[in-house]
Amino acid sequence: MTAFENSLRHSFGIEGTDELKYIISQFEPVLLKKGEVFLEEGRSCDKLCFVQSGFLRIFTETENKQITQWIAPHGYFVTDLSGFIFEKMSRWTIEALTDTRLFYIDRNKYKKLNTFIPQWPELERQFIVHCFTTLEDRIFSHLSMTAEQRYHFFFQHNKELFHQVPLQYIASMLGMTPETFSRIRKKQ
């Protein structure tokens, strides 16, 4: 079973082989080159993607800096969820930090999944709950941990990122200035 199939099973709770095959058939492969944008802030978000390999950065720009919301390694689903589900303009830009292989499904195909898979509303609910709990965990860590604790926790669970993406993006994602991040890193 591929990482994509495993992630579909885990994130959506898909059990049947026929359903899994059908869902996979609705996704298209795409290769993004390093620096290429998958979604631009202020544009319509009409795709949900799965990162097969590489890294995507989700960020926004303010007047004086870029704020990284998340860095998605292989095995993650990525979209601007409120834009994708509610058809709002995207709040985020999603760009490839490395050459990145994706599988994506557009909103129209996604909406038609319930036509072919009767239990799709429940599977989709499980996926959104999974997204929500991941977000809750991130908020909890930002509110309850010191900068040093956030660094250690993130490092323990995402070591590969520290050698493959610019460290200022990780610092931003953890809610730290590059100087604080560097100071904590030197202590290690």
Side-chain angles (χ1 to χ4, degrees):
M1 188 169 293
T2 68
F4 183 39
E5 292 169 332
N6 280 333
S7 288
L8 281 169
R9 282 193 187 279
H10 173 73
S11 297
F12 287 88
I14 298 166
E15 295 178 10
T17 304
D18 291 339
E19 290 89 357
L20 183 63
K21 285 180 182 178
Y22 179 77
I23 292 169
I24 288 171
S25 75
Q26 299 305 297
F27 279 78
E28 300 288 333
V30 68
L31 173 65
L32 294 180
K33 295 292 185 186
K34 180 180 179 178
E36 198 171 339
V37 172
F38 178 75
L39 175 65
E40 192 172 341
E41 181 179 351
R43 302 272 183 170
S44 175
C45 178
D46 64 349
K47 294 180 179 73
L48 169 70
C49 72
F50 173 80
V51 181
Q52 177 70 23
S53 65
F55 298 94
L56 293 178
R57 178 171 75 120
I58 305 164
F59 70 97
T60 190
E61 293 194 49
T62 64
E63 288 182 21
N64 56 355
K65 64 180 176 178
Q66 291 184 348
I67 300 169
T68 300
Q69 186 251 22
W70 187 249
I71 298 169
H74 61 88
Y76 276 78
F77 286 93
V78 176
T79 191
D80 178 308
L81 194 57
S82 66
F84 186 70
I85 299 296
F86 300 117
E87 299 185 24
K88 294 182 177 182
M89 293 299 145
S90 175
R91 296 175 290 182
W92 307 103
T93 295
I94 302 174
E95 79 170 339
L97 293 177
T98 61
D99 289 351
T100 305
R101 292 189 184 282
L102 306 172
F103 291 107
Y104 76 89
I105 186 169
D106 68 43
R107 185 186 300 117
N108 292 329
K109 285 183 179 180
Y110 182 87
K111 284 182 174 182
K112 291 178 183 174
L113 289 175
N114 66 353
T115 304
F116 300 98
I117 303 171
Q119 72 275 24
W120 182 252
E122 175 59 23
L123 299 174
E124 180 183 43
R125 186 189 71 75
Q126 287 184 36
F127 173 68
I128 292 172
V129 166
H130 176 76
C131 294
F132 187 77
T133 56
T134 300
L135 181 59
E136 275 186 327
D137 291 344
R138 289 200 54 221
I139 292 168
F140 180 77
S141 72
H142 272 67
L143 295 175
S144 66
M145 294 180 179
T146 65
E148 196 164 324
Q149 289 170 327
R150 286 194 311 273
Y151 175 93
H152 288 298
F153 182 82
F154 189 78
F155 180 78
Q156 290 302 315
H157 293 91
N158 300 281
K159 291 178 183 176
E160 77 276 6
L161 288 180
F162 284 75
H163 301 291
Q164 299 186 42
V165 302
L167 296 178
Q168 74 263 22
Y169 298 156
I170 298 172
S172 174
M173 187 177 75
L174 294 175
M176 299 177 202
T177 63
E179 295 79 18
T180 299
F181 185 87
S182 180
R183 188 171 55 253
I184 292 169
R185 192 175 161 137
K186 284 180 185 175
K187 288 181 183 180
Q188 307 313 309

